[in-house]
Amino acid sequence: MGLRFYNTLTRSVDEFVPLRPGEVGLYTCGPTVYDFAHIGNFRTYLWEDLLRRHLEFRGHRVTQVMNLTDVDDKTIAGALRQGVRLDDYTRTFIDAFFEDLDTLGIQRAAVYPQATQHVDEMVRLILRLREKGCLYESKGSIYFRIETFPAYGRLSGLDPGSAEAARARVEADEYDKDNPRDFAVWKMRRGDEPAWTTEVGDGRPGWHLECSAMSMKYLGETFDIHTGGVDNIFPHHENEIAQSEGATGKPFVRHWLHAAHLIVDGEKMSKSKGNFYTLRDLMARGYHPRPIRYLLLSAHYRKQLNFTFEGLAQACSALDRLDDLAYRLEHESLADGENPGLSAAADRARDAMLESLDNDLNTAAALGHLFDLVREANSALDAGAAKRQDAQRVRDVLGAFESIFGVRLGAEATLEAEVASLVDRRQKARAARDWATADSIRDELQKRGIVLEDTPQGVRWKRRGT
Ligand SMILES: [Zn+2]
């Protein structure tokens, strides 16, 4: 069987067939850049990274687009609070977001369109929807009239008039609608908020509109996969479908995939409970990105993930076991030839791991198969029964894990983590003007053959002689 994913739209696990063979258009809803992203956000971004890596591993070329929401109530409020321009305010968080992506080894999307750079596209979409009779104006703002789109509610299965739907909807600043179910595509200028003077009026776009306009600009009017967290299903993705299909009359997205929430210590993450973590918070506590990445990918994406520090410690020991096997395979002296039993175990594990991922990205099952092989390979090595050829087969399975999970194994990965931590400690010592500690760390690194270079972008390190 080939690739198949649970499709929120059909409520079934559907075979995945891209529109154009070998090419996949993937739209992933991105961050609102008013704060640092938290680990719940990163659970979704990491799963999307794994989705893309697995599609690529299976031979598809993926064009990923992720939007940056840089104008909405939260970004505007943040900029006003700090008394800075909106783009200066959001730049800080956009830069931080990219730094965090790199820290976690998340591959860059093909394009990160910003809402403020695509107001023209959004205005054109409003004009198309107006032409189709889907919109009405009230006191300078423009609303989508849901009754013009009978399929509304198909994705979420929610009756848009229900109390549940009303609770899920964020409508703090949506006023003067004919019907409480309708949503704004354009908001009239208020006070000194950032605004654009356009053919449809003086104001700013509604949030939902950016994802319709920007996904269709970069991926076409119908594309393969659209993802997000479950909290995006209603109203955000429901509204995207109404806007896009209302304007084009074509199916918008073929496969809708949504990741479940992350909770911390069994509870919803919240700043007031003190269980709210950004990636930076975890790094400041001395955790390396590799186990964070591993932990956030280890549960199936449609199951709630309970983040605990104990779980993070378990992720560290799981990685230690994988590193240890990678080290043994590389360094133990093995006889030429093949142990057919271990070769067969490697092939079985590889097939089962990939089959689990093909089956709606079941990472938990895939890791189970990988660790079955770790046990078998370690016993064979302990018994002196492993030979060169089967050891290579086992290493290849670890290689498939590295590509798809985006986690590097072995001595090099460990060295990188250690050096990164020493460099970080030296930076902190320097910031505290503790020159003695800073110098002793530099000496320690030099003993290991690592040379530091201070550059305007920060500290870089390299191996001596490279
Ligand atoms: Zn979106």
Side-chain angles (χ1 to χ4, degrees):
M1 278 213 273
L3 278 166
R4 55 230 187 258
F5 303 122
Y6 181 83
N7 188 346
T8 309
L9 190 62
T10 61
R11 289 170 184 71
S12 60
V13 177
D14 295 346
E15 188 187 356
F16 175 69
V17 182
L19 270 175
R20 277 167 308 180
E23 309 254 350
V24 177
L26 169 64
Y27 189 85
T28 48
C29 280
T32 301
V33 282
Y34 73 105
D35 201 350
F36 299 111
H38 58 67
I39 55 174
N41 303 133
F42 282 113
R43 185 215 185 168
T44 303
Y45 302 144
L46 280 165
W47 156 67
E48 291 161 341
D49 186 53
L50 177 123
L51 164 65
R52 173 170 157 196
R53 286 169 184 267
H54 188 59
L55 286 165
E56 287 171 346
F57 192 87
R58 287 307 207 185
H60 297 284
R61 263 203 306 274
V62 180
T63 304
Q64 183 190 355
V65 177
M66 178 180 271
N67 65 303
L68 301 172
T69 300
D70 59 352
V71 55
D72 79 323
D73 294 344
K74 289 176 185 151
T75 46
I76 291 171
L80 286 176
R81 205 166 44 238
Q82 288 190 6
V84 296
R85 284 165 47 110
L86 181 65
D87 51 356
D88 288 333
Y89 178 76
T90 56
R91 175 49 52 195
T92 309
F93 297 108
I94 292 173
D95 291 346
F97 177 66
F98 286 125
E99 266 176 45
D100 288 352
L101 292 185
D102 290 348
T103 300
L104 283 171
I106 294 175
Q107 300 192 100
R108 292 284 176 106
V111 50
Y112 289 93
Q114 291 175 234
T116 53
Q117 314 288 318
H118 291 77
V119 174
D120 282 352
E121 285 83 349
M122 291 189 251
V123 167
R124 281 204 294 278
L125 186 55
I126 290 175
L127 293 172
R128 278 176 87 176
L129 285 165
R130 180 184 275 172
E131 187 101 337
K132 296 276 172 85
C134 300
L135 307 179
Y136 63 90
E137 222 177 294
S138 176
K139 298 189 182 163
S141 290
I142 306 174
Y143 297 93
F144 190 99
R145 192 185 298 281
I146 285 177
E147 64 195 24
T148 65
F149 189 71
Y152 194 88
R154 207 176 46 173
L155 182 72
S156 58
L158 281 182
D159 167 2
S162 71
E164 197 185 355
R167 266 198 307 278
R169 200 175 353 236
V170 180
E171 51 185 4
D173 61 348
E174 295 182 17
Y175 40 90
D176 295 325
K177 297 185 279 197
D178 282 2
N179 183 323
R181 298 159 39 172
D182 297 337
F183 60 90
V185 295
W186 187 259
K187 299 179 178 187
M188 190 190 60
R189 180 198 287 270
R190 278 192 308 190
D192 52 4
E193 282 184 2
W196 285 260
T197 302
T198 73
E199 227 179 308
V200 299
D202 207 15
R204 62 179 167 101
W207 168 45
H208 312 296
L209 192 65
E210 70 181 69
C211 285
S212 283
M214 303 195 298
S215 62
M216 293 197 292
K217 170 172 178 171
Y218 294 101
L219 297 171
E221 292 182 350
T222 301
F223 59 91
D224 297 301
I225 306 178
H226 193 315
T227 64
V230 283
D231 52 322
N232 290 144
I233 297 174
F234 188 88
H236 184 50
H237 290 165
E238 200 76 79
N239 292 352
E240 278 186 45
I241 294 173
Q243 294 163 150
S244 297
E245 299 192 359
T248 68
K250 297 176 195 164
F252 174 43
V253 169
R254 292 152 54 93
H255 298 263
W256 284 94
L257 274 59
H258 293 98
H261 280 132
L262 173 142
I263 54 173
V264 174
D265 295 325
E267 289 193 88
K268 192 172 186 266
M269 192 162 63
S270 81
K271 283 183 178 162
S272 60
K273 280 191 200 130
N275 67 349
F276 182 97
Y277 301 108
T278 64
L279 175 64
R280 286 143 195 267
D281 294 333
L282 297 184
M283 305 285 288
R285 288 177 172 228
Y287 291 97
H288 291 303
R290 215 169 54 126
I292 298 170
R293 180 174 173 109
Y294 181 94
L295 174 62
L296 295 184
L297 287 175
S298 60
H300 186 226
Y301 75 94
R302 284 199 292 123
K303 294 217 169 83
Q304 202 172 52
L305 180 114
N306 185 22
F307 176 92
T308 62
F309 284 97
E310 196 191 324
L312 199 48
Q314 283 161 5
C316 291
S317 37
L319 286 165
D320 282 347
R321 288 178 65 203
L322 294 171
D323 282 336
D324 182 58
L325 177 60
Y327 184 90
R328 292 186 79 180
L329 293 168
E330 206 173 310
H331 292 96
E332 291 191 9
S333 56
L334 302 174
D336 278 333
E338 179 175 17
N339 169 347
L342 187 54
S343 280
D347 292 349
R348 241 185 354 255
R350 182 190 155 92
D351 291 349
M353 183 173 86
L354 294 177
E355 166 56 26
S356 299
L357 293 168
D358 286 350
N359 183 13
D360 199 27
L361 301 168
N362 192 339
T363 50
L367 292 172
H369 297 301
L370 181 69
F371 278 97
D372 286 344
L373 178 63
V374 171
R375 271 185 297 278
E376 291 187 67
N378 278 324
S379 329
L381 287 162
D382 292 344
K387 298 203 168 144
R388 280 240 179 95
Q389 263 184 45
D390 41 271
Q392 187 53 50
R393 296 274 260 277
V394 175
R395 187 63 187 89
D396 290 346
V397 181
L398 294 183
F401 160 81
E402 288 180 296
S403 308
I404 298 167
F405 282 75
V407 172
R408 285 180 68 200
L409 299 176
E412 192 67 12
T414 317
L415 175 73
E416 278 175 19
E418 273 176 33
V419 170
S421 139
L422 284 169
V423 168
D424 190 48
R425 273 177 47 208
R426 176 171 165 269
Q427 285 306 97
K428 288 198 176 115
R430 279 161 58 104
R433 304 188 156 269
D434 176 0
W435 309 116
T437 305
D439 287 348
S440 83
I441 294 173
R442 178 183 278 264
D443 293 347
E444 164 72 27
L445 285 165
Q446 255 166 12
K447 265 188 246 156
R448 299 188 189 195
I450 303 292
V451 190
L452 297 182
E453 275 174 35
D454 292 303
T455 74
Q457 288 78 37
V459 181
R460 284 211 204 119
W461 63 273
K462 58 180 192 183
R463 267 179 209 75
R464 202 160 33 228
T466 60

